[in-house]
Each structure stands twice: as structure tokens, then as C-alpha cells.
Amino acid sequence: MKRIICILCFLLIICGCQNKIDNFDSSKSYTIDNQIKLEVIKQEAIQIIEPSNKNMKTSGIQAKNDNLFIDVLFKVTNISQEQFKLQQIFSGRYEVNQVSYDLNMIMETKSYTGLTSTDTIKKDEERYVHLYCEIPKDEMKKEIVLHFQVIKQMDYKYTFKIDEETKIDGNQQSIGDTLSLQQSQITLTKLGQSKKIEPSQKGFFYSYIPVDHQDETFIYLQLDIHNTSNQKIIPKNYIYCEYHLDNTKTSSQIILESENHKSLEKSGNIEPLQTRTIYMVVPIKDTLLNKQGYMQLFIEGKTFQITP
């Protein structure tokens, strides 16, 4: 009898040592052991993993031919007194069609313009983390399960379905809207077409920036950016824009107006508490002007889709 009781106690001890596996709900925010706050930003099937604030110099991680990445992007906030490496926060694996795939992870830089595997997340810091795996394209329409553990405290099972055609819609914004961000307030002033970009206040003599070729027209998004921070903003590092048309995307150029709105320049800064007008411009062939495209802005790790 004593032997049976001992066996039962042993089994109870083993069961008590195993972490409970919770189903992860992407619509919720989770706080783990008063150390890490966690929420899902998006999930997608993609060929290249890039930082959220892309720019002309952005480089990413490319999938092999005939493969795609399953990528779940988390916002991770360190609410503890310690600093964490990625490997101290996450571990786990992906499961697709009963096949297990290694869990890879990479973190975005604080400016959301690059990717790093060596940074730590410091006290009160918020960072974007990609948890991803690489799988064959023909497996994309299968159910996907992400098994992951957070700081060796909580085990989660996140089940979802996604395919190569899945599009993650950005935050829809319209002309006239104002975006309130951590470092700035941005007013979406105008979405238009023109053969040249001119300053808002034209004098008797003024300069403008024309398209390079006669058979092209600028698609442009005009913004007023008010710097609400105590540091200067360098637009080329702070904001990025793409024009999407017919399943292709084209990077925009940045043109700034002078503070008095009477001249244009292709480089410059926005000083603390200063407001500057900028144009995100993309030249396209005149033959494409009758087709409907859209602008997508990337700012402070957020994505905005701009409609007229």
C-alpha cells in the first residue's frame, strides 16, 4: 500500500512540475511574471523579413527559392528591472502539417529601421520581435501552430492559418487625418499628381523639381510633420513611403520645403518643435495614371495605408 501511495505522489509531483499550456489569443495583451508584456502586431507569409520602418538602405532576411517565411511579429515590453536577450525570452518551435520546424527569432532596432540578433531589451524598453520559420510554399495553406515559451515561465500554443496571398492591411488613413506618434504629429495634407513639385508659397522667381522624363508624372503625398520631441528628426531615417500599384511597390523620394515654404530641398532636418512640409514622391509612367494605387507609410514601427 505504501508503495502505491509513493508512486501516486511521484506522479503528482511530475504533473505539478509541468507548465500548463495556454492557448494564445492574438487579440489580447499578456503580462508574464511582471517582467515581460507581450502582444501580437501581425502575422504573415512573406519571402523577406524586413524591419517595420523600411528605408532606402533597408536589408532583410531572404527565404530560399520555393520557400516562404511564416512570421509572427510581437511587440515586447520589458517591465522588469533587468535586461533580456532574445534567447532569454523566447524558445519554441513551429508545427505545420505535423512537421516540426525550428523557431528563429530576430529583433528590430529601436528606430525600427534594421534587424539585430545581439541587442538586449532594457528596462522599460519596447521592441518588435519576429518569431519565424521557413517552410515550402505548398505548405502555406495548412494550419500552423506556434509552440513557444516565455522567460521559462509560461507555455503557449498559438494556432492560426495563413497563405501566401494573405495581406495584412495597414492602418487606413485619409487625407486630412492627423497621426499622433511618439516623436511627432503628422497631418496628411494632400495626395496628388503633378509633372513637378513646387513650393507652397511661390514668389515671382522660384525653383521646382520636375520629373526626369517627359512620359512620367509624380504621384505625391504631402505631409506636415510637427516635431514634438526634444531631438531633431532626420526624415530619411524617420519616415519611409512606398507606392503600390499592380502588385509592385516603388520607394518614394523625400522632398522638403523650407520653413518659410518658399523653396525646396532634398535633404534637411526637422528641429524640436519645428513643423516642416515634406513630399513623398514617386514617378510613374503616364500610361499607368488611370490605374488605382495607394501609398503606404512606415513610421515609428507602424504602417499606414493612405487613401484619398
Side-chain angles (χ1 to χ4, degrees):
M1 188 68 179
K2 290 183 178 179
R3 185 176 180 182
I4 294 174
I5 292 173
C6 288
I7 292 173
L8 288 173
C9 290
F10 178 71
L11 291 173
L12 287 171
I13 291 171
I14 291 176
C15 292
C17 291
Q18 293 178 338
N19 286 344
K20 177 186 174 184
I21 299 177
D22 289 341
N23 288 320
F24 190 86
D25 185 346
S26 61
S27 67
K28 296 180 179 179
S29 175
Y30 291 79
T31 299
I32 294 91
D33 199 33
N34 289 320
Q35 296 187 73
I36 293 292
K37 187 176 179 181
L38 192 69
E39 62 183 279
V40 169
I41 300 298
K42 64 179 178 179
Q43 60 204 32
E44 55 187 340
I46 48 177
Q47 290 184 313
I48 183 169
I49 294 175
E50 298 176 301
S52 300
N53 251 36
K54 295 183 286 186
N55 57 44
M56 300 295 285
K57 298 180 180 179
T58 293
S59 60
I61 304 170
Q62 180 74 50
K64 297 175 183 176
N65 291 338
D66 299 322
N67 285 1
L68 286 173
F69 290 124
I70 292 293
D71 180 33
V72 179
L73 179 62
F74 285 91
K75 180 168 73 174
V76 180
T77 307
N78 182 359
I79 56 176
S80 75
Q81 301 297 313
E82 308 296 328
Q83 59 182 11
F84 289 96
K85 296 180 180 179
L86 267 184
Q87 293 75 12
Q88 295 175 300
I89 300 175
F90 292 107
S91 61
R93 63 186 175 87
Y94 275 94
E95 182 183 334
V96 183
N97 199 24
Q98 297 183 332
V99 177
S100 185
Y101 293 89
D102 291 339
L103 175 68
N104 298 292
M105 60 189 84
I106 197 155
M107 182 160 49
E108 297 192 9
T109 57
K110 288 191 289 185
S111 63
Y112 307 101
T113 56
L115 300 173
T116 175
S117 58
T118 58
D119 277 8
T120 59
I121 305 179
K122 298 175 177 59
K123 175 187 173 184
D124 297 327
E125 195 171 70
E126 176 186 294
R127 300 291 285 272
Y128 279 8
V129 174
H130 297 260
L131 298 187
Y132 66 96
C133 72
E134 186 172 354
I135 72 174
K137 287 183 180 180
D138 57 10
E139 294 294 325
M140 281 299 170
K141 295 184 180 180
K142 308 290 185 180
E143 185 176 78
I144 297 162
V145 182
L146 171 58
H147 302 272
F148 66 104
Q149 188 179 70
V150 184
I151 56 172
K152 300 181 180 179
Q153 297 291 326
M154 291 296 298
D155 287 279
Y156 292 105
K157 179 181 178 181
Y158 181 31
T159 303
F160 58 97
K161 202 169 185 179
I162 199 169
D163 60 56
E164 188 179 358
E165 300 305 317
T166 300
K167 302 296 182 185
I168 306 300
D169 291 332
N171 188 351
Q172 297 277 344
Q173 300 291 330
S174 300
I175 297 304
D177 289 348
T178 296
L179 312 178
S180 295
L181 303 163
Q182 291 184 350
Q183 299 179 57
S184 71
Q185 279 194 333
I186 299 178
T187 300
L188 309 175
T189 306
K190 187 177 181 181
L191 184 59
Q193 303 175 1
S194 180
K195 288 287 186 180
K196 56 187 176 183
I197 302 298
E198 302 174 307
S200 300
Q201 297 182 17
K202 301 185 287 290
F204 189 75
F205 295 104
Y206 69 94
S207 61
Y208 60 86
I209 297 176
V211 290
D212 292 332
H213 306 284
Q214 291 185 350
D215 62 344
E216 291 180 338
T217 296
F218 283 130
I219 302 294
Y220 69 90
L221 176 63
Q222 183 178 341
L223 311 168
D224 287 336
I225 301 181
H226 177 60
N227 184 353
T228 58
S229 73
N230 58 7
Q231 296 182 339
K232 69 180 179 182
I233 289 175
I234 303 173
K236 68 178 182 180
N237 297 334
Y238 180 67
I239 188 169
Y240 177 75
C241 183
E242 290 175 342
Y243 184 63
H244 292 245
L245 179 67
D246 286 347
N247 294 318
T248 62
K249 51 189 178 183
T250 307
S251 300
S252 69
Q253 308 167 36
I254 296 179
I255 297 174
L256 291 86
E257 277 192 355
S258 60
E259 195 171 8
N260 64 8
H261 304 286
K262 293 182 178 180
S263 63
L264 301 172
E265 55 192 14
K266 290 190 176 182
S267 63
N269 303 323
I270 306 174
E271 299 299 328
L273 304 181
Q274 187 182 48
T275 300
R276 297 285 298 271
T277 296
I278 73 170
Y279 300 85
M280 314 299 291
V281 303
V282 176
I284 68 168
K285 294 294 183 181
D286 290 341
T287 54
L288 299 175
L289 289 175
N290 61 341
K291 294 189 176 184
Q292 184 66 46
Y294 65 89
M295 289 285 198
Q296 199 165 38
L297 277 177
F298 303 88
I299 319 164
E300 293 187 17
K302 297 178 173 61
T303 302
F304 301 96
Q305 185 171 312
I306 313 303
T307 56

